[in-house]
């Protein structure tokens, strides 16, 4: 096996503190991997707790020791990284409610009126999510508009000044320096303060909704860095957009609002305590992601479909309504505030951060003979999208191996910003595409070497924010761009956007993709117009729209949600069918070559992501072959010292423990009685819920679900809980706190059946039993995610503590 070292992760830490606030505390070492699994680690005696099954190792200790001896303690220049690995450091979320006695008693005590109150609170939270997401989007839009406007005016005045008297090299230096300085600030706060805020955040939110705990992904600090970072990235002139990060921002807002407290601010409002569990939090994060899409594109229905298509592992009718409500509130809030800001309070004409403008069906309708042309554009978009993803894949691998230090990441971001400005300046300088300025909607027209009353057409694409450039390509009249201008812009911006995605800055790929597609789509429309001798249906704006859809679909591979987003953003249902055709074709063609961009980055981070279905050729595998063994089991009434030893033992650092009945005098195992989680055991030890203390009336009060919710989500590490020697001899009764009805499968169940049960129910632990209901193994997320369909059939990924 290839050498395995710790690689740069989304959280970017050397030792990632997980959401529970402990370094590696909850990492289960599957199949015996990890320190001490097969070595000389302290072994507990069989009488202290029960081990079931046989140990099967994927031992990485030798390789890690080799690396440690070869490499000095300082960070290596190159990090070896094998993409055929599955990381053990990512934890799962507990989407399945533990229906123990405490949970059932609380639910039975709640009457009909109380249930209605809880439901009203859900709607109130969704409204608050929509309002706050809309306000954050307004803040980003207004600040970007003012800062970018200031920068472009300064650079424009400088270029106009030096065009007349010579010395344009100073203008180039000014533009590049401004870009690099602004991007440096944006990159520093991401690289050194909160690395998980880098990128659009969509892959991380997809993983969270899939059931994977990504460290720091829904923290308040992440939101602050995300918002500041995306403002600085866009103002810095990078080939990025501010729309994608809104999805992450909305998700963080939803996670924070739904819990009613902030550990960063050290405030607990005690108002939404009922929702302090992963199941409820997941539903609200789905609403936050939808509200983010709605604020970005003014597409509330598209937002709902985005959450359904790209993220949520659970869905029902009531959840759909609440998510749609949050999306509508979000776009309405943004619309209202921006309308007031732009001085037309009663005209709600700004539904999203980007508005594609109205597409008039009469002037830009399509005919039946254009359908094959649209399909061909989808093919082109799929091929270009696959090329974009393939180039970005190799670039990301290079970054993982060599650019893993924060200072190097900042330098790279500054370099890309300076190069982007330089390329833009050189392209504008060399272009002789001059257009009349009368009636033009160009925000910052550069005259450069054009005659009086004319402006440089290349500048409308480069010397502007990407959102405004997209709208210009959609709606500028025919003849506004020279074909050479569009061709050169497409080529250069394609490589700049590819280089930019993956930098340590907060930025999205939606708008750059639309801009690339709009440029080559408009070029395609112009070419078609030449070939058909100016036929009225060959409108370049219409083909710019189809090219934008094709390019974005070819890169991110979204279909249903993206179709509706594009329809809502254009305000024209007429284009629904051609957009759908283009996106389906782009996805089919792109999938033939390489995965979508988000899925590719999830795979590069070795995240145990579960797709909708099991690999198609996996029916030959059974639960017995995929399950993890040995399984650490607990008795229903267990010795406290044994529980402490199990939780402290790094070689058996599991998070779910089957509870069995057993005769203390023998090692014979009886049937399964329930399942208890590590987090629950820690709360029991913290409150010292021991049988002897209860008998002596030393326990102040009976433990309630509130005690578990107060500790959520950062349960204390076992090392912080003091248990005296006398207390170690006490007994702890798990009957009241364990889930007495955990999901189980027989060991003969096929992998697709196990996968479907695990994925559909959002499980974290699935107990495998034999025909006597005795525990023989445990199926966790990593056991299922490591089987993947490769080019040569079903392949099994190695598990590593990366």
């Amino acid at each position: 096996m290839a050498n395995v070292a710790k690689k740069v992760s989304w959280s970017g830490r050397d030792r990632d503190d997980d959401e529970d606030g402990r370094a590696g505390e909850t990492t289960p070492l599957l199949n015996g991997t990890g320190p001490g699994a097969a070595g000389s680690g302290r072994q507990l005696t069989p009488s202290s707790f029960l081990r079931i099954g046989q140990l099967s190792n994927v031992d990485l200790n030798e390789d890690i020791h080799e690396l440690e001896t070869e490499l000095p303690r300082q960070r290596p220049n190159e990090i070896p990284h094998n993409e055929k690995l599955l990381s053990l450091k990512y934890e799962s979320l507990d989407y399945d409610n533990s229906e123990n006695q405490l949970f059932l008693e609380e639910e039975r005590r709640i009457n009909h009126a109380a249930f209605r109150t809880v439901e009203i609170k859900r709607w109130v939270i969704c409204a608050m999510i929509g309002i706050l997401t809309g306000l954050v989007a307004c803040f980003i839009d207004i600040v970007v508009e003012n800062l970018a406007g200031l920068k472009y005016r300064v650079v424009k005045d400088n270029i106009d000044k030096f065009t007349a008297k010579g010395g344009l090299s100073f203008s180039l230096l000014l533009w590049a320096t401004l870009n690099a300085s602004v991007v440096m600030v944006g990159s520093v706060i991401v690289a050194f303060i909160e690395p998980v805020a880098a990128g659009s955040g969509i892959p991380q939110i997809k993983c969270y909704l899939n059931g994977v705990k990504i460290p720091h992904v829904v923290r308040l600090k992440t939101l602050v860095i995300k918002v500041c970072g995306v403002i600085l990235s866009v103002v810095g002139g990078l080939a990025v957009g501010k729309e994608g990060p809104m999805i992450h921002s909305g998700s963080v807002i939803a996670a924070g609002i739904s819990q009613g407290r902030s550990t960063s601010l050290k405030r607990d409002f005690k108002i939404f305590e009922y929702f302090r569990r992963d199941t409820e939090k997941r539903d609200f994060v789905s609403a936050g992601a939808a509200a983010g899409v709605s604020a970005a594109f003014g597409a509330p229905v598209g937002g709902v479909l985005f959450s359904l298509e790209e993220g949520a592992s659970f869905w029902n009718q009531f959840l759909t309504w609440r998510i749609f409500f949050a999306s509508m509130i979000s776009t309405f809030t943004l619309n209202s505030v921006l309308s007031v800001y732009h001085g037309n309070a009663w005209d709600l004409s700004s539904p999203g951060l980007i508005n594609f403008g109205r597409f008039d069906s009469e002037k830009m309708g399509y005919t039946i003979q254009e359908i094959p042309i649209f399909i061909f554009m989808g093919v082109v978009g799929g091929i270009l999208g696959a090329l974009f993803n393939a180039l970005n894949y190799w670039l990301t691998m290079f970054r993982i191996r060599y650019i893993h230090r924060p200072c190097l990441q900042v330098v790279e971001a500054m370099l890309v910003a300076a190069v982007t400005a330089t390329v833009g300046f050189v392209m504008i300088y060399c272009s002789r595409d001059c257009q009349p300025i009368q009636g033009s909607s160009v925000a910052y027209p550069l005259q450069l070497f054009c005659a009086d009353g004319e402006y440089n057409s290349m500048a409308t694409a480069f010397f502007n924010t990407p959102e405004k450039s997209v709208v210009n390509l959609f709606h500028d009249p025919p003849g506004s761009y020279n074909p050479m201008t569009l061709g050169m812009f497409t080529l250069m911006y394609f490589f700049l956007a590819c280089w930019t995605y993956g930098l340590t800055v907060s930025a999205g790929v939606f708008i750059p993709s639309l801009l690339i597609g709009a440029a080559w789509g408009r070029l395609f429309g112009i070419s078609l117009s030449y070939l058909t001798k100016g036929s009225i249906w060959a409108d370049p704006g219409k083909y710019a729209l189809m090219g934008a859809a094709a390019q974005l679909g070819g890169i991110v591979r979204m279909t249903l949600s993206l179709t509706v987003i594009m329809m809502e953003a254009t305000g024209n249902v007429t284009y629904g069918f051609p957009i759908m055709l283009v996106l389906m074709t782009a996805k089919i063609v792109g999938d033939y070559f390489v995965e979508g961009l988000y899925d590719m980055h999830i795979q590069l981070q070795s995240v145990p992501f579960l797709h909708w279905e099991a690999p198609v050729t996996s029916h030959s595998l059974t639960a017995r072959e995929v399950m993890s063994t040995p399984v650490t089991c607990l008795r229903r009434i267990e010795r406290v010292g044994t529980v402490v030893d199990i939780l402290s033992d790094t070689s058996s650092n599991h998070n779910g423990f089957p509870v069995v009945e057993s005769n203390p005098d023998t090692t014979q195992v009886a049937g399964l009685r329930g399942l208890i989680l590590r987090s629950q055991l820690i709360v029991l030890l913290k409150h010292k819920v021991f049988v002897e203390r209860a008998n002596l009336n030393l326990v102040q009060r009976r433990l309630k679900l509130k005690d578990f919710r107060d500790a959520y989500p950062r349960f204390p590490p076992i090392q912080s809980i003091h248990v005296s020697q006398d207390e170690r001899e006490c007994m702890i009764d798990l009957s009241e706190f364990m889930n007495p009805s955990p999901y189980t499968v027989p060991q003969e169940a096929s992998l697709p059946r196990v996968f479907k049960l695990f994925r559909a129910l959002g499980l974290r632990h699935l107990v495998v039993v034999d025909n006597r209901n005795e525990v023989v193994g445990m199926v966790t997320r990593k056991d299922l995610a490591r089987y993947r369909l490769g080019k040569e059939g079903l392949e099994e990924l190695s598990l590593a503590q990366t």
Side-chain angles (χ1 to χ4, degrees):
M1 175 186 250
N3 282 348
V4 179
K6 179 166 177 52
K7 67 183 178 66
V8 176
S9 68
W10 275 330
S11 57
R13 311 287 184 195
D14 283 344
R15 289 186 66 195
D16 287 314
D17 292 340
D18 62 15
E19 289 288 301
D20 294 348
R22 55 188 182 278
E25 165 67 17
T26 59
T27 304
L29 306 180
L30 299 187
N31 296 331
T33 57
S40 59
R42 180 175 58 86
Q43 298 295 319
L44 299 174
T45 60
S47 60
S48 60
F49 60 88
L50 303 171
R51 295 272 194 183
I52 312 235
Q54 297 298 317
L55 181 66
S56 60
N57 273 5
V58 180
D59 194 3
L60 301 180
N61 290 343
E62 281 188 33
D63 295 325
I64 294 172
H65 279 308
E66 285 173 13
L67 278 174
E68 287 174 350
T69 56
E70 289 171 9
L71 300 172
R73 286 194 174 184
Q74 65 266 26
R75 296 189 182 205
N77 291 326
E78 176 185 357
I79 291 185
H81 175 52
N82 182 356
E83 61 273 24
K84 299 290 185 183
L85 293 175
L86 200 63
S87 177
L88 282 169
K89 79 182 185 68
Y90 290 109
E91 271 310 298
S92 293
L93 294 159
D94 291 303
Y95 283 165
D96 181 39
N97 284 324
S98 177
E99 293 192 349
N100 53 24
Q101 287 185 29
L102 296 182
F103 178 83
L104 294 176
E105 287 173 9
E106 182 184 84
E107 293 296 309
R108 288 167 187 152
R109 281 197 304 270
I110 299 177
N111 56 26
H112 181 68
F115 270 120
R116 288 179 64 86
T117 303
V118 168
E119 189 62 23
I120 290 170
K121 284 183 178 179
R122 286 196 178 99
W123 286 92
V124 169
I125 291 172
C126 286
M128 293 171 68
I129 290 168
I131 292 170
L132 286 175
T133 303
L135 291 176
V136 167
C138 290
F139 175 77
I140 292 173
D141 189 59
I142 291 170
V143 175
V144 165
E145 183 180 327
N146 284 281
L147 290 181
L150 177 64
K151 184 192 81 169
Y152 285 125
R153 281 193 297 272
V154 168
V155 176
K156 179 184 182 304
D157 292 344
N158 192 273
I159 290 175
D160 290 342
K161 173 184 172 184
F162 283 100
T163 301
K165 64 179 186 179
L168 275 173
S169 56
F170 182 78
S171 300
L172 168 60
L173 188 63
L174 175 67
W175 191 2
T177 303
L178 282 175
N179 275 17
S181 302
V182 173
V183 169
M184 181 188 73
V185 178
S187 183
V188 163
I189 61 174
V190 171
F192 288 96
I193 300 177
E194 196 52 88
V196 80
S200 67
I202 295 175
Q204 291 93 320
I205 295 303
K206 279 187 69 170
C207 291
Y208 184 90
L209 293 175
N210 191 259
V212 182
K213 184 186 291 182
I214 305 294
H216 306 275
V217 73
V218 287
R219 296 275 182 89
L220 176 63
K221 185 168 71 170
T222 304
L223 175 64
V224 173
I225 300 300
K226 194 86 180 182
V227 169
C228 296
V230 74
I231 289 171
L232 294 167
S233 299
V234 176
V235 172
L238 292 174
V240 298
K242 58 182 183 283
E243 282 67 21
M246 276 310 305
I247 296 164
H248 191 181
S249 301
S251 300
V252 180
I253 290 168
I257 292 294
S258 64
Q259 302 305 290
R261 68 178 175 190
S262 169
T263 51
S264 301
L265 301 177
K266 294 181 172 55
R267 297 295 300 272
D268 189 347
F269 300 100
K270 305 284 185 186
I271 186 171
F272 299 132
E273 286 182 308
Y274 182 81
F275 305 119
R276 290 177 186 173
R277 57 179 187 266
D278 286 337
T279 315
E280 296 283 354
K281 197 172 179 181
R282 180 258 325 265
D283 292 347
F284 289 119
V285 169
S286 298
V293 174
S294 182
F297 296 99
V301 179
V304 175
L305 293 175
F306 175 86
S307 278
L308 173 60
E309 181 181 3
E310 287 296 300
S313 55
F314 173 79
W315 207 261
N316 63 27
Q317 184 179 358
F318 294 113
L319 183 62
T320 307
W321 267 112
R322 288 199 299 272
I323 289 178
F324 184 56
F325 177 67
S327 295
M328 291 296 293
I329 294 292
S330 174
T331 190
F332 179 76
T333 302
L334 177 81
N335 208 339
S336 303
V337 175
L338 287 185
S339 296
V340 171
Y341 174 75
H342 292 307
N344 45 355
W346 303 108
D347 179 20
L348 299 178
S349 55
S350 304
L353 291 181
I354 182 169
N355 186 8
F356 292 165
R358 302 293 298 182
F359 281 79
D360 193 344
S361 299
E362 293 181 10
K363 294 180 182 178
M364 300 174 64
Y366 67 95
T367 57
I368 193 71
Q369 62 262 37
E370 291 180 88
I371 298 296
I373 298 174
F374 294 148
I375 294 174
F376 175 74
M377 293 184 74
V379 172
V380 174
I383 293 171
L384 290 177
L387 177 62
F388 184 100
N389 292 357
L391 291 173
N392 191 261
Y393 175 88
W394 294 111
L395 181 60
T396 305
M397 288 289 291
F398 178 83
R399 283 177 174 143
I400 288 173
R401 287 176 173 150
Y402 298 102
I403 312 178
H404 47 81
R405 296 176 183 171
C407 53
L408 291 177
Q409 293 167 344
V410 173
V411 169
E412 187 198 14
M414 292 174 64
L415 176 64
V416 174
V419 169
T420 303
T422 304
V423 168
F425 185 87
V426 171
M427 297 274 285
I428 295 169
Y429 182 84
C430 297
S431 173
R432 293 295 179 267
D433 184 8
C434 298
Q435 301 292 339
I437 205 167
Q438 290 85 4
S440 174
S441 60
V442 181
Y444 312 104
L446 282 180
Q447 182 180 354
L448 218 59
F449 301 116
C450 294
D452 289 342
E454 294 184 334
Y455 69 95
N456 190 302
S457 182
M458 181 70 83
T460 61
F462 267 116
F463 200 69
N464 221 331
T465 57
E467 288 84 359
K468 290 179 179 175
S469 299
V470 169
V471 177
N472 288 338
L473 286 169
F474 284 164
H475 294 290
D476 280 354
S480 298
Y481 298 90
N482 189 301
M484 181 62 73
T485 299
L486 292 173
M488 291 301 296
F489 174 78
T490 301
L491 183 66
M492 299 309 298
Y493 207 81
F494 182 91
F495 289 107
L496 285 174
C498 186
W499 189 12
T500 305
Y501 189 79
L503 288 177
T504 311
V505 294
S506 298
V509 76
F510 271 76
I511 299 303
S513 304
L514 289 172
L515 186 50
I516 295 165
W520 68 255
R522 191 175 181 98
L523 177 61
F524 186 86
I526 292 171
S527 306
L528 205 61
S529 183
Y530 284 153
L531 291 174
T532 57
K533 295 186 171 43
S535 178
I536 191 169
W537 50 264
D539 187 279
K542 173 174 56 181
Y543 286 98
L545 176 65
M546 295 305 157
Q551 186 66 51
L552 183 54
I555 290 174
V556 301
R557 309 290 161 75
M558 291 157 53
T559 49
L560 178 64
S561 56
L562 193 53
T563 302
V564 176
I565 288 170
M566 296 291 285
M567 284 167 54
E568 289 184 280
T570 56
N572 195 325
V573 185
T574 309
Y575 291 123
F577 182 68
I579 288 174
M580 183 188 73
L581 275 181
V582 164
L583 288 172
M584 285 180 62
T585 309
K587 176 175 171 55
I588 292 167
V589 172
D591 283 343
Y592 180 79
F593 295 104
V594 70
E595 285 185 304
L597 189 65
Y598 299 143
D599 291 327
M600 192 183 73
H601 277 262
I602 289 170
Q603 181 183 321
L604 280 171
Q605 292 294 338
S606 303
V607 179
F609 187 87
L610 295 181
H611 295 279
W612 289 106
E613 297 288 343
V616 291
T617 59
S618 60
H619 277 86
S620 58
L621 293 172
T622 62
R624 185 196 294 111
E625 295 168 278
V626 303
M627 66 187 184
S628 291
T629 56
V631 180
T632 303
C633 294
L634 297 171
R635 302 184 184 94
R636 191 175 57 82
I637 299 178
E638 187 61 271
R639 196 170 66 90
V640 172
T642 301
V643 175
V644 173
D645 289 340
I646 289 173
L647 296 181
S648 304
D649 184 19
T650 56
S651 67
S652 61
N653 209 0
H654 302 299
N655 286 288
F657 303 93
V659 179
V660 298
E661 286 286 5
S662 176
N663 186 341
D665 299 327
T666 68
T667 58
Q668 182 182 2
V669 181
L672 176 68
R673 292 292 178 267
L675 182 79
I676 193 160
L677 302 177
R678 169 182 289 269
S679 55
Q680 294 172 319
L681 290 171
I682 284 176
V683 173
L684 296 182
L685 291 174
K686 180 182 177 183
H687 289 273
K688 302 191 184 301
V689 185
F690 307 148
V691 174
E692 287 78 2
R693 288 172 63 88
N695 293 338
L696 295 172
N697 294 323
L698 293 177
V699 178
Q700 298 294 325
R701 60 177 176 80
R702 186 165 174 265
L703 216 59
K704 297 181 180 179
L705 272 185
K706 181 183 182 300
D707 298 296
F708 294 91
R709 289 171 182 154
D710 285 343
Y712 174 85
R714 299 182 185 91
F715 297 96
I718 184 63
Q719 290 80 7
S720 69
I721 297 173
H722 175 70
V723 178
S724 68
Q725 196 60 41
D726 290 339
E727 288 173 335
R728 286 178 62 89
E729 301 305 319
C730 293
M731 305 300 288
I732 185 168
D733 189 351
L734 307 178
S735 306
E736 192 178 5
F737 310 101
M738 70 181 186
N739 182 359
S741 55
Y743 290 100
T744 62
V745 288
Q747 54 187 342
E748 292 80 18
S750 68
L751 175 60
R753 190 172 184 82
V754 173
F755 190 98
K756 190 174 294 184
L757 179 65
F758 198 96
R759 177 73 168 83
L761 296 175
L763 301 182
R764 187 177 186 182
H765 304 98
L766 184 59
V767 184
V768 183
V769 296
D770 60 14
N771 53 8
R772 294 178 298 175
N773 198 37
E774 293 178 1
V775 181
V776 294
M778 181 89 81
V779 174
T780 61
R781 172 175 292 272
K782 281 94 172 180
D783 298 317
L784 298 176
R786 65 183 178 176
Y787 291 98
R788 192 175 65 189
L789 193 63
K791 292 183 178 178
E792 299 177 1
L794 191 67
E795 59 184 18
E796 182 179 353
L797 305 183
S798 301
L799 300 173
Q801 191 75 45
T802 56

